[in-house]
Amino acid sequence: MKKMFILGACALLAGCQTTPEPASAPEPTNEINTGIPCSYSCMPDNPCMQTLEPLILRPRVLEVVGQPAKRPCCNDDLKFGSLEVYVPDAPEIYVISANRTVNSMLKEAAPFYEQAGTMRVYIDAANPKAGDLPGGIEQGTQTLKKRFGEISNVIVTENLADAQYIINSQADWFDTATKKVPAIKYDMFLKSKDGRLIGEWSEIIHQAEGDRSWW
């Protein structure tokens, strides 16, 4: 009986001393996952994580900075060493929008500005309603100054105190019905000096599908 107890104890100790097999290492993967959603299909020059499109599309461009990082003992590029997310400048958005809103005003409010006589107008700086809009909104303000300066009975003044009327403008992302391409809504307001709204005009400009141009 004692002999059997000793043999059992030895077997138990032998089992406890058995070294467990190491867990298998995860298989290397070539998947690029930056954790940053984008509105375009993943391309070699635009790696991104495929996610559901947001309600309002906002274009992003991924700029690769530095050399790709490599996993030790592996030759394949697994991820980029450094990524910077930015929205590129697109002043044409605001130039096109400003021109179109002025055209609409000249057509729809013709009786007003034709009967108003000489108008001294102050054009305020544009107001971006979102911090990630494409750059160049100041070009829209310059376009408004140019277009109003071409109207025969309008004098564009740089002094707010001298103005009879004020032009305000703003831009924001716009939710399109198809949600296939991003869009921006540009608004222009004509107000009297005391703040009374005389008229407002809006323009929605889309990015061309499969392209980076705006129309």
Side-chain angles (χ1 to χ4, degrees):
M1 183 70 179
K2 184 177 181 181
K3 182 177 180 181
M4 291 179 63
F5 174 78
I6 294 174
L7 290 176
C10 291
L12 179 63
L13 289 175
C16 294
Q17 293 175 355
T18 302
T19 303
E21 294 184 2
S24 59
E27 292 294 328
T29 174
N30 293 330
E31 179 184 359
I32 298 175
N33 185 349
T34 68
I36 302 170
C38 76
S39 301
Y40 305 98
S41 299
C42 286
M43 301 297 290
D45 59 345
N46 184 25
C48 61
M49 180 180 66
Q50 290 296 302
T51 61
L52 295 177
E53 292 180 338
L55 289 179
I56 300 179
L57 302 183
R58 288 169 160 84
R60 294 286 192 274
V61 174
L62 297 181
E63 180 184 9
V64 180
V65 180
Q67 297 297 321
K70 296 179 181 296
R71 181 178 294 175
C73 303
C74 296
N75 294 323
D76 55 326
D77 296 342
L78 298 177
K79 62 180 180 178
F80 287 97
S82 176
L83 292 176
E84 178 185 354
V85 182
Y86 72 99
V87 180
D89 289 345
E92 67 274 10
I93 294 173
Y94 310 106
V95 172
I96 294 171
S97 299
N99 274 311
R100 290 178 179 175
T101 52
V102 173
N103 290 343
S104 297
M105 188 209 73
L106 293 176
K107 180 180 178 180
E108 297 172 9
F112 167 77
Y113 68 80
E114 288 175 356
Q115 297 174 12
T118 301
M119 302 168 56
R120 299 184 67 85
V121 176
Y122 176 80
I123 299 176
D124 202 358
N127 178 27
K129 303 293 286 185
D132 58 352
L133 285 168
I137 194 171
E138 65 280 356
Q139 294 300 317
T141 303
Q142 294 302 317
T143 301
L144 291 178
K145 291 181 178 181
K146 179 178 181 297
R147 290 296 307 278
F148 276 91
E150 295 171 349
I151 301 175
S152 59
N153 63 328
V154 172
I155 298 174
V156 176
T157 177
E158 297 295 331
N159 189 350
L160 178 59
D162 294 338
Q164 300 167 293
Y165 300 94
I166 300 172
I167 293 290
N168 298 116
S169 59
Q170 65 183 31
D172 199 357
W173 295 107
F174 183 76
D175 182 18
T176 60
T178 62
K179 295 180 174 60
K180 290 184 178 180
V181 293
I184 290 175
K185 185 173 181 282
Y186 184 90
D187 301 302
M188 184 184 74
F189 308 94
L190 173 62
K191 300 178 181 179
S192 61
K193 191 173 182 178
D194 60 6
R196 180 171 57 91
L197 180 64
I198 298 172
E200 61 180 280
W201 296 269
S202 299
E203 180 66 29
I204 297 172
I205 185 167
H206 302 76
Q207 191 171 48
E209 189 170 356
D211 192 0
R212 293 300 173 94
S213 62
W214 295 78
W215 52 270

